[in-house]
Amino acid sequence: MKITFIGATHEVTGSCYYLEAAGSKFLVDCGMEQGPNYYENVDIPVSPGELDFVLLTHAHMDHSGNLPAIYAKGFQGPVYATDATCHLCDIMLRDSAHIQMFEAEWRNRKGRRQGKPEFIPAYTMEDALGVLRNFVRCPYDKEIVPAEGIRVRFVDAGHLLGSASVEVRITEEGKEKVIVFSGDIGNLNQPLIKDPQYLHEADYVVMESTYGDRSHGERPDYVGLLAEVIQRTFDRGGNLVIPSFAVGRTQEMLYFIRQIKEEGRVHGHDGFKVYVDSPLAIEATNIFGEHQYDCFDEEAMELIHKGINPISFPGLKTSVTSDDSKAINFVDECKVIISASGMCDAGRIKHHLKHNLWDEKNTILFVGYQAIGTLGRSLLEGAKEVKLFGEAVHVAAEICQMPGISGHADVNGLIDWVKAFKDQPQKVFITHGEDSVTEIFAQRLKDDYGFDTMAPFSGTVYDLLADSCIYEAKGVKIEKTAATPKAAKAARTFEKLLAMGHRLISVIRKNEGCPNKELDRFTREIQSLCDKWDRTDI
């Protein structure tokens, strides 16, 4: 009964944990690293084709984004997640595949002119659609049995529509151990969705620590603050640009603006327009409406029972096509533009920044966490000039941040969550935080509350049955060098070839039981391919 820590170790993104237990091999989360990568992550220690299943805490890319990548390398098992998470992943993984394929096409157009080798995306739309077919929808609080000796329950984590903490009960050698994966623990009193639900029993806890070193402070009057920003921006004739995560934060902003409009809090600019410029955010907003009865909190449900859509209002405009998006910047009247991505590292928001950053009449309002090294973080830290699409853009717009607004619990919320366990777990593993934050939070839990804690690096292996560390990895920092771009691209290309090999094995297995005539033809085609490319004589 072993756990290997793969990602989100001393880093905020890339959540991934590998477990071998009760005869099964499985992952909890399979996330993409976003923003700068500071530490090397070990590979999953088995071929993806050997994985039996995946348990997914929620739909954010840093928890789900590499699922198509392991599918491309042979993973064929089920992915268990809540109903809303499955629904959101259906749009988010397709969107991610589209972005990667578009980027690869763009880079290869430039690369061909420069004689560079082909850039291979991590996965394709086919891979995303393939893994999505294997999603299994699970209701909150109902125990499922993904394999013999393993029982799983999803509990509302209050972070995002459909987000969950995952309780895993494993029976091996006649002993049962309960491992709880916190997922991302939600902030209290978020609009629309419910507060996080506490769990009370665990032998081991794998716990996030994004805000493990700080408090959000008293809950601000978000509606009042947002109304003030809109008012002063419009009064000087400017636009308000809000970089926002397409899923979760965008819907919260719509919730606040609906109230601002309903209560007439912005004066002299009646009927102002709000543009949601993100196809993903538009689809996600529709999904929020479909899951109101299983995920919305009491306040949102009161509005619904009165016939009020909590996230819609007069003046709300949506932009789906690129032409729609471009047209926004030629609208002369003052407006609010909500666009992805939330950290300004990709997507349409970069175009809106290019059109608005240089003008002092405009405001850029950040409403979510900005990771170190992202464009959003640079702007918040006072950058006077940024580069967008290869062009230097002067920063003259007002840059501000909505205080305290986060989908993550702060340090007090994290402590309340872990203190809810009736008996202290044997070990609390601290993950999913910036390098120093994981250590600070682990030490605080140890010193102030007596928890036995560990902030593992990628590659650490722990025996859950024996309660002992098999291997404690050291953090390996990534050296920032541009010395071997060709070697790196060659490695990616070869990795893709290996992935195709895993897929071929999968296709062969799927043809079991076909008529002998077809199998003989398939065999000859593979034999011919092998004869053509066999290089053992070189």
Side-chain angles (χ1 to χ4, degrees):
M1 193 185 297
K2 297 187 299 184
I3 181 171
T4 302
F5 296 87
I6 307 293
T9 52
H10 288 253
E11 293 180 322
V12 177
T13 65
S15 178
C16 186
Y17 313 101
Y18 168 72
L19 288 93
E20 292 182 9
S24 293
K25 300 172 182 177
F26 63 98
L27 299 180
V28 176
D29 284 346
C30 189
M32 181 183 291
E33 289 189 289
Q34 297 176 297
N37 187 12
Y38 294 101
Y39 285 99
E40 290 185 3
N41 283 353
V42 300
D43 293 328
I44 299 167
V46 296
S47 164
E50 296 180 49
L51 294 170
D52 295 295
F53 57 90
V54 175
L55 305 175
L56 180 60
T57 61
H58 65 286
H60 277 148
M61 283 292 99
D62 62 324
H63 292 256
S64 69
N66 274 344
L67 287 169
I70 63 170
Y71 177 87
K73 296 176 183 178
F75 171 65
Q76 295 290 312
V79 178
Y80 296 96
T82 67
D83 188 48
T85 293
C86 293
H87 207 164
L88 287 173
C89 280
D90 183 55
I91 62 171
M92 295 179 73
L93 293 180
R94 285 189 288 112
D95 183 71
S96 176
H98 172 76
I99 290 171
Q100 295 199 53
M101 293 174 70
F102 178 83
E103 181 186 4
E105 182 183 354
W106 177 77
R107 291 178 67 164
N108 286 330
R109 275 202 310 269
K110 292 184 65 177
R112 281 191 291 271
R113 293 194 294 267
Q114 299 168 2
K116 293 182 177 180
E118 184 181 11
F119 175 81
I120 307 296
Y123 50 82
T124 65
M125 185 64 72
E126 181 184 356
D127 300 323
L129 294 174
V131 79
L132 284 167
R133 286 192 288 269
N134 294 339
F135 272 61
V136 178
R137 301 186 176 207
C138 305
Y140 279 125
D141 297 314
K142 182 177 180 181
E143 196 169 78
I144 64 166
V145 183
E148 185 176 351
I150 299 174
R151 294 177 291 150
V152 173
R153 185 168 65 103
F154 292 89
V155 175
D156 196 339
H159 168 68
L160 174 73
L161 193 81
S163 65
S165 299
V166 183
E167 177 188 84
V168 185
R169 293 179 177 271
I170 302 172
T171 302
E172 186 176 291
E173 298 180 8
K175 297 179 181 178
E176 182 182 81
K177 294 292 181 181
V178 181
I179 304 97
V180 168
F181 295 83
S182 73
D184 286 354
I185 301 166
N187 201 359
L188 296 177
N189 301 312
Q190 288 191 85
L192 293 172
I193 63 175
K194 298 173 183 176
D195 286 346
Q197 181 180 340
Y198 294 160
L199 294 92
H200 303 292
E201 179 188 357
D203 296 299
Y204 297 96
V205 172
V206 180
M207 183 179 182
E208 70 115 325
S209 60
T210 309
Y211 284 91
D213 65 338
R214 72 204 98 157
S215 167
H216 296 323
E218 288 189 24
R219 178 180 170 82
D221 174 11
Y222 294 130
V223 172
L225 288 171
L226 182 56
E228 288 176 12
V229 174
I230 296 172
Q231 185 75 60
R232 69 171 180 262
T233 302
F234 286 4
D235 285 350
R236 61 179 181 243
N239 300 317
L240 172 60
V241 179
I242 304 178
S244 181
F245 300 104
V247 182
R249 195 51 40 78
T250 291
Q251 291 72 38
E252 292 174 4
M253 290 299 104
L254 296 179
Y255 185 88
F256 295 146
I257 294 171
R258 182 206 62 80
Q259 186 175 342
I260 288 170
K261 280 178 164 278
E262 181 184 85
E263 297 174 359
R265 295 203 181 198
V266 174
H267 307 289
H269 306 280
D270 295 340
F272 66 87
K273 303 292 192 301
V274 177
Y275 293 87
V276 175
D277 185 24
S278 164
L280 180 61
I282 294 164
E283 286 191 79
T285 301
N286 293 332
I287 289 173
F288 267 67
E290 294 178 34
H291 288 277
Q292 57 194 26
Y293 290 103
D294 55 322
C295 294
F296 278 14
D297 62 15
E298 291 181 6
E299 186 177 354
M301 289 307 300
E302 282 181 16
L303 293 171
I304 289 166
H305 292 146
K306 293 176 182 177
I308 299 171
N309 185 335
I311 49 179
S312 184
F313 45 80
L316 177 60
K317 306 291 183 181
T318 55
S319 301
V320 176
T321 69
S322 57
D323 286 340
D324 293 337
S325 178
K326 293 172 185 175
I328 295 171
N329 289 304
F330 295 97
V331 175
D332 288 335
E333 60 188 353
C334 300
K335 55 195 170 290
V336 176
I337 304 169
I338 303 174
S339 187
S341 71
M343 296 187 194
C344 306
D345 52 355
R348 294 181 178 182
I349 186 61
K350 296 178 78 172
H351 292 276
H352 294 299
L353 291 175
K354 182 179 178 180
H355 281 272
N356 288 276
L357 268 175
W358 57 271
D359 192 337
E360 61 186 11
K361 295 193 299 292
N362 301 327
T363 300
I364 315 300
L365 174 64
F366 289 96
V367 294
Y369 178 80
Q370 304 299 307
I372 291 174
T374 60
L375 175 57
R377 184 74 163 247
S378 295
L379 289 169
L380 277 178
E381 291 178 345
K384 301 300 182 185
E385 185 177 275
V386 296
K387 187 164 284 190
L388 291 165
F389 308 106
E391 178 183 336
V393 178
H394 176 62
V395 180
E398 177 186 355
I399 308 295
C400 55
Q401 185 175 33
M402 189 83 83
I405 188 165
S406 174
H408 287 268
D410 66 3
V411 64
N412 300 313
L414 294 174
I415 289 170
D416 287 344
W417 185 88
V418 74
K419 283 172 61 181
F421 290 99
K422 292 179 180 176
D423 296 314
Q424 285 199 351
Q426 291 172 236
K427 181 81 74 175
V428 179
F429 300 100
I430 305 302
T431 62
H432 208 291
E434 290 179 1
D435 188 12
S436 61
V437 175
T438 57
E439 298 288 354
I440 290 168
F441 186 62
Q443 196 64 43
R444 180 167 181 184
L445 289 186
K446 188 174 187 177
D447 293 344
D448 295 354
Y449 303 98
F451 286 96
D452 186 354
T453 60
M454 179 182 191
F457 281 99
S458 181
T460 295
V461 183
Y462 202 90
D463 188 323
L464 302 171
L465 206 57
D467 190 20
S468 64
C469 189
I470 298 173
Y471 174 71
E472 185 172 359
K474 305 295 182 185
V476 179
K477 288 201 171 184
I478 293 174
E479 297 296 329
K480 304 295 180 183
T481 116
T484 59
K486 289 184 179 179
K489 289 180 180 178
R492 283 199 299 270
T493 304
F494 185 70
E495 183 69 20
K496 189 68 174 179
L497 178 61
L498 288 176
M500 290 304 101
H502 290 300
R503 171 158 282 187
L504 179 59
I505 294 294
S506 173
V507 172
I508 291 171
R509 287 174 178 154
K510 288 179 180 177
N511 278 271
E512 185 177 5
C514 287
N516 288 339
K517 186 177 179 180
E518 292 184 16
L519 292 178
D520 285 339
R521 182 162 60 87
F522 192 9
T523 301
R524 288 195 300 273
E525 289 175 358
I526 295 174
Q527 184 66 51
S528 175
L529 190 65
C530 289
D531 290 343
K532 178 180 179 180
W533 290 95
D534 189 353
R535 296 175 182 265
T536 54
D537 58 332
I538 295 177

